[in-house]
Amino acid sequence: MNTQQNPSGPRIFNQVTEAQQYEILKKKAARREREVHRVRRNRIIGIFSVLILVFVVQIAMVSLRTSKINSQVSASKVQYQKAEQTNKVLKGQVKQLKDETYVGKLIRYKYYYSKPGETIYNLPTRDFELSTQNGE
């Protein structure tokens, strides 16, 4: 480029030359390119952040469900053990009710029946009641 004289007329000293304009345009283009890359990078980071957030929420929900199921399982185990104990007690009572001597004692105690020639004395005790209820 001719810096001394411009083909359209004399050069004004505070005016930008063509080389300077070219440099300014190059800088603007580089700045625009960096801006485009920055926006693209931020979008990619945003998309990955949303995906990671979704996965973390899913993991938290699965963990919450697992702990809830575990607590239900432990509660069911406790309930099962209580039912087993009740079943043992009831089986013991069934076994006792099949025994004729026990049934005879139980009927005589509860309903004040007596054998011929037997006298009943009613004494206030709770030992026999507790032993019949516990299956002893």
Side-chain angles (χ1 to χ4, degrees):
M1 300 276 148
N2 188 2
T3 57
Q4 292 177 351
Q5 196 172 14
N6 200 351
S8 61
R11 179 172 181 270
I12 301 174
F13 287 101
N14 59 359
Q15 187 180 18
V16 180
T17 63
E18 287 183 25
Q20 289 174 338
Q21 284 180 347
Y22 180 74
E23 289 297 320
I24 290 172
L25 289 177
K26 260 176 78 173
K27 286 180 183 179
K28 280 185 181 180
R31 194 175 326 136
R32 175 72 180 140
E33 187 176 340
R34 284 193 308 268
E35 179 70 17
V36 167
H37 286 296
R38 185 185 63 80
V39 168
R40 200 176 290 158
R41 181 185 66 228
N42 288 344
R43 285 181 184 165
I44 291 172
I45 289 173
I47 290 170
F48 279 116
S49 298
V50 168
L51 287 175
I52 289 172
L53 181 66
V54 167
F55 290 139
V56 166
V57 167
Q58 285 181 346
I59 289 172
M61 294 298 289
V62 167
S63 174
L64 183 65
R65 286 183 195 144
T66 303
S67 66
K68 186 176 180 181
I69 289 171
N70 286 338
S71 67
Q72 288 175 349
V73 165
S74 64
S76 295
K77 283 182 181 179
V78 168
Q79 187 178 5
Y80 175 75
Q81 290 173 351
K82 286 181 181 179
E84 283 291 317
Q85 289 175 351
T86 305
N87 193 16
K88 284 182 182 180
V89 168
L90 290 176
K91 282 183 179 180
Q93 287 179 354
V94 166
K95 189 182 278 186
Q96 285 180 340
L97 289 174
K98 288 181 182 179
D99 184 18
E100 291 180 17
T101 57
Y102 174 77
V103 173
K105 284 182 183 179
L106 184 65
I107 289 174
R108 282 191 309 235
Y109 176 75
K110 276 191 168 181
Y111 301 108
Y112 301 109
Y113 284 135
S114 64
K115 293 181 182 178
E118 188 178 52
T119 306
I120 298 176
Y121 296 103
N122 192 8
L123 299 175
T125 62
R126 293 191 48 132
D127 293 336
F128 186 76
E129 289 177 14
L130 292 176
S131 67
T132 58
Q133 289 176 357
N134 292 336
E136 294 175 0

